Amino acid sequence: MPTPKSADAKKPDDCLIVIFGASGDLTKRKLVPALHYLWKNGQAPEKFAILGVSRSKYTDKAYRDEAYDFADKEYESRADFDDFASRLYYEAADSTKSEGWPAIKERICEIQKKHELGANVLFYLSMAPQFFEPIIVQIGSQGMVTEGRKFCTIDTHEPPWQRIVVEKPFGSDPKSAVHLNNVLAQVFDEDEIYRIDHYLGKELVQNLMVLRFANSMFEPIWNHRYVDHVQITASESVGVEGRGSYYDGPAGGSLRDMVQSHLLQVASIVAMEPPITLDASDVRTEKIKVFKALRVPEPEDVPNIAVRGQYGDGSVNHREVTAYREEEGVDPNSQTDTFAAVKFHVDTWRWGNTPFYLRSGKAMAQKKTEIVVYLKPTPHKLFREQARQFRPNQILISVQPNPGIRLRFEGKVPGTGMSIKDVVMDFDYEDQWKVEPPDGYAILLYDCLRGDQTNYKHRDEIESSWDACQPILDYWAENPQDDLPNYNAGTWGPSAADVMMAKDGRYWRND
Ligand code: BG6
């Protein structure tokens, strides 16, 4: 399949990309292939180079070999990769300590000179979160961004930039998120900080704004008068698969790992008001309003609005899955949620009391990410005799797999009499565009290289999303649950999540 191209052909500025955590999976599995994709499609800067930094010892050649072997399916051939990788370098150094920096700085200068890159640098933090702060502090104290700061730059006409991309998890609670934001603010201006969320790079998430604001048929019904509720599901069929110590530790379970970050971000785009323009600051202003309007639950409400789950053993797609607590690196008595379902409210005029149900889990029946907007029934029941057959009208945005948008509504069954059945109108992304969606990392890196923060998170979004989740986390920490594990791998999660919905007269879309 051909690859899609942006209509906006403005190339990113020349720059050096310095990736901390280069020996980690994310760099080799996602970042290097994403940069290769941009290069291959003519969307990378004219001149650029990548410097990977980690403590593990590699020569440039050994690192290139490893990066290729790790994701060889992403490259046409070894020769194609080598062509790109002539710009890929590696430095073994401890970037959390000042002792590691003379070598890093020397390497940066050498590569900048060799490739004639100028002073633009994109720093990327792609490692475990405990290293974020010491590296940011080092970037600052080593004077790596001084030239880019507007107040003291030498070239005021077109000052070079230094930007930083920060991966998740961004904090583990409101306090640590505020602290990390403050640490970043000591070194970088807010418009140089790119807090990445790869869900914001997914095609159908990006399409949400287009669906809502480039069409006139959805916006009139996109409110509490017509919408009964919104469901956002991100289920995964895999368990933690060898990453038990990370999931049970820094990732901290499904509510932290998925709901607080990815799903609330998606919800904010579903719930936001139309921005004045598509400028990053206008879009982010509207998103921030949604985050500020998220209802912060009272502790006594938590059992009614949140369900946690943990998977036991079972099988997914005929594959045996080991129970979470038996995974290496997981506490055998762990209370960590591998499933979370939460009913949120966005307290705005538009949404009134319309609930947003968000759920995510590991080792579930299917891998799928979808947003479903359920509409209210018609005000007058004209087809009264058939009423029991009716299903609510749904606007289904399928993010993955099978990206697309589906409208489900009632239709007449052919023939005599008046029989009614729900039918589907389908926009299938791959069928329509005959292209494969690029990976979200490629889309987001392209934005960052061009200085576009629209699809990156502002500090206020992160801090408010933690505020809305923290009472749930506190309640769960104070009230251990003795029925864990409470769902078998390969199912749709604990029955308590269905009960939560049933109490509201609703049900999860599990097909
Ligand atoms: C990551 C989470 O952010 O997203 C992982 O830390 C999760 O636990 C992953 O598996 C899911 O991403 P995707 O793109 O496969 O839905």
Side-chain angles (χ1 to χ4, degrees):
M1 274 188 179
T3 44
K5 278 215 163 66
S6 161
D8 176 356
K10 181 185 172 287
K11 277 235 177 202
D13 301 331
D14 296 344
C15 68
L16 173 65
I17 300 157
V18 181
I19 304 178
F20 298 100
S23 63
D25 276 22
L26 179 69
T27 306
K28 292 177 290 188
R29 191 162 42 86
K30 292 287 184 185
L31 304 184
V32 174
L35 290 164
H36 168 269
Y37 172 95
L38 294 179
W39 168 79
K40 192 86 193 158
N41 282 281
Q43 293 165 326
E46 200 64 47
K47 293 180 196 157
F48 74 101
I50 306 157
L51 173 62
V53 180
S54 271
R55 280 178 300 186
S56 321
K57 299 253 178 277
Y58 291 101
T59 59
D60 289 341
K61 171 157 183 347
Y63 184 68
R64 290 171 189 172
D65 289 347
E66 165 114 353
Y68 177 76
D69 291 344
F70 207 86
D72 57 349
K73 283 187 214 66
E74 304 288 338
Y75 312 113
E76 247 168 58
S77 62
R78 180 65 205 229
D80 160 56
F81 177 76
D82 284 345
D83 197 1
F84 158 80
S86 59
R87 302 159 184 84
L88 178 61
Y89 300 90
Y90 183 85
E91 185 65 35
D94 183 351
S95 51
T96 63
K97 304 217 168 70
S98 55
E99 299 85 279
W101 276 84
I104 299 173
K105 284 161 91 169
E106 198 176 310
R107 209 67 204 287
I108 288 178
C109 290
E110 180 196 310
I111 299 168
Q112 283 174 327
K113 220 187 239 162
K114 179 171 172 197
H115 291 268
E116 301 173 336
L117 300 177
N120 296 334
V121 183
L122 171 59
F123 297 103
Y124 198 120
L125 301 187
S126 162
M127 78 287 289
Q130 66 269 30
F131 301 120
F132 291 173
E133 177 171 354
I135 297 178
I136 297 162
V137 169
Q138 284 301 326
I139 292 173
S141 59
Q142 297 294 330
M144 300 305 295
V145 293
T146 314
E147 182 62 15
R149 305 284 298 216
K150 290 161 195 67
F151 58 85
C152 66
T153 187
I154 296 163
D155 180 353
T156 48
H157 179 57
E158 202 173 333
W161 50 256
Q162 284 87 44
R163 299 179 185 140
I164 186 163
V165 180
V166 188
E167 268 294 339
K168 66 184 275 283
F170 198 102
S172 55
D173 54 24
K175 201 166 149 223
S176 54
V178 170
H179 177 74
L180 183 54
N181 275 327
N182 290 342
V183 170
L184 277 164
Q186 303 264 318
V187 181
F188 293 92
D189 291 341
E190 181 62 29
D191 63 6
E192 295 163 332
I193 302 169
Y194 290 72
R195 300 172 191 85
I196 196 164
D197 185 313
H198 78 279
Y199 269 55
L200 296 181
K202 292 186 188 282
E203 276 288 345
L204 266 288
V205 173
Q206 298 214 327
N207 202 51
L208 271 172
M209 290 247 296
V210 180
L211 177 83
R212 291 193 53 201
F213 306 134
N215 296 299
S216 55
M217 64 181 158
F218 298 108
E219 203 44 25
I221 55 167
W222 210 266
N223 56 53
H224 70 95
R225 281 186 291 281
Y226 296 95
V227 175
D228 177 74
H229 72 284
V230 177
Q231 280 183 30
I232 303 180
T233 294
S235 57
E236 294 183 83
S237 51
V238 291
V240 291
E241 320 247 305
R243 295 171 74 228
S245 56
Y246 172 71
Y247 196 80
D248 219 44
S254 199
L255 184 62
R256 285 191 168 94
D257 185 40
M258 295 291 291
V259 177
Q260 177 276 330
S261 52
H262 305 316
L263 297 198
L264 278 174
Q265 277 295 322
V266 173
S268 73
I269 306 172
V270 175
M272 71 193 275
E273 294 302 318
I276 303 295
T277 72
L278 287 178
D279 272 7
S281 68
D282 288 340
V283 173
R284 298 205 305 177
T285 298
E286 296 307 333
K287 283 177 68 196
I288 290 168
K289 286 190 205 159
V290 174
F291 282 102
K292 295 216 155 134
L294 278 178
R295 191 179 299 169
V296 178
E298 296 298 330
E300 61 273 18
D301 292 335
V302 172
N304 301 321
I305 58 126
V307 171
R308 78 179 129 175
Q310 192 187 79
Y311 64 88
D313 53 14
S315 79
V316 186
N317 305 327
H318 310 295
R319 196 174 40 85
E320 294 307 307
V321 176
T322 312
Y324 177 68
R325 287 181 179 179
E326 283 160 34
E327 282 277 354
E328 205 186 319
V330 173
D331 174 355
N333 298 311
S334 174
Q335 284 282 319
T336 300
D337 48 302
T338 62
F339 172 98
V342 181
K343 173 162 78 165
F344 285 102
H345 281 97
V346 180
D347 285 330
T348 60
W349 195 281
R350 178 187 289 265
W351 291 111
N353 217 22
T354 313
F356 282 66
Y357 297 95
L358 274 46
R359 74 174 163 165
S360 182
K362 299 247 182 228
M364 290 178 68
Q366 259 179 44
K367 162 101 182 161
K368 73 166 179 179
T369 304
E370 66 178 27
I371 303 146
V372 196
V373 177
Y374 280 82
L375 299 183
K376 287 184 172 169
T378 53
H380 175 52
K381 304 224 176 324
L382 199 53
F383 298 95
R384 203 169 277 118
E385 282 173 18
Q386 325 251 348
R388 261 173 296 139
Q389 294 173 22
F390 285 15
R391 295 223 279 181
N393 291 167
Q394 295 168 24
I395 303 167
L396 163 64
I397 297 123
S398 170
V399 176
Q400 58 186 15
N402 311 324
I405 298 172
R406 279 150 211 131
L407 301 185
R408 188 186 280 276
F409 54 91
E410 299 299 327
K412 180 184 172 296
V413 176
T416 51
M418 182 57 77
S419 205
I420 292 176
K421 195 170 181 315
D422 57 313
V423 294
V424 175
M425 261 168 77
D426 201 349
F427 152 56
D428 184 305
Y429 177 95
E430 289 180 8
D431 222 41
Q432 169 73 32
W433 302 118
K434 310 278 186 258
V435 292
E436 240 167 61
D439 189 78
Y441 275 98
I443 292 185
L444 293 174
L445 273 167
Y446 179 68
D447 287 349
C448 173
L449 288 166
R450 294 159 76 246
D452 182 352
Q453 288 185 303
T454 310
N455 292 306
Y456 286 85
K457 304 188 271 194
H458 188 276
R459 70 175 288 168
D460 295 353
E461 298 174 40
I462 296 201
E463 291 172 14
S464 299
S465 63
W466 275 119
D467 288 342
C469 291
Q470 195 56 36
I472 304 170
L473 291 164
D474 288 342
Y475 184 91
W476 286 354
E478 283 155 22
N479 297 278
Q481 199 166 308
D482 53 19
D483 69 346
L484 300 181
N486 59 355
Y487 71 98
N488 286 115
T491 65
W492 283 105
S495 54
D498 299 321
V499 172
M500 178 175 87
M501 286 295 252
K503 277 189 189 152
D504 292 349
R506 300 181 177 113
Y507 52 88
W508 293 106
R509 211 192 84 88
N510 284 343
D511 26 274

